[in-house]
Amino acid sequence: KKTFQGPFKACHEVVKPGDFYRNCLYDVCIGDGARRILCQVLEAYAATCKKQGAVVHDWRTPSGC
C-alpha cells in the first residue's frame, strides 16, 4: 500500500485499497497476526480487482499465501 507498487498496482485506481487495508489491519491484529486472515483479505481484494477488470499479478508468492 505504501508505495502502490507490486502485484496490485494496476488495481489501485480501479478499486481503492483503503477500506481493504483498514479491515485487514484490524482483522490481523484481532487475530494475533494470523497469516490466514491476511491471505483471505488479499484474496478478496484480488477477486474484487479482477471483477472490475484490473490486472492482478502473482500476489500469493510475495505474501506467502
Side-chain angles (χ1 to χ4, degrees):
K1 179 184 177 295
K2 186 176 180 180
T3 61
F4 293 102
Q5 299 298 315
F8 297 106
K9 181 180 177 180
C11 184
H12 292 317
E13 287 300 315
V14 178
V15 179
K16 300 295 182 192
D19 288 339
F20 285 90
Y21 177 76
R22 282 186 292 280
N23 290 338
C24 180
L25 188 59
Y26 177 81
D27 292 345
V28 169
C29 287
I30 291 295
D32 199 27
R35 178 161 301 277
R36 68 176 178 74
I37 295 171
L38 170 66
C39 294
Q40 288 171 349
V41 173
L42 291 174
E43 187 170 9
Y45 187 61
T48 301
C49 292
K50 289 177 183 178
K51 284 180 187 174
Q52 296 299 318
V55 174
V56 176
H57 298 282
D58 176 32
W59 58 271
R60 291 183 184 276
T61 302
S63 65
C65 293

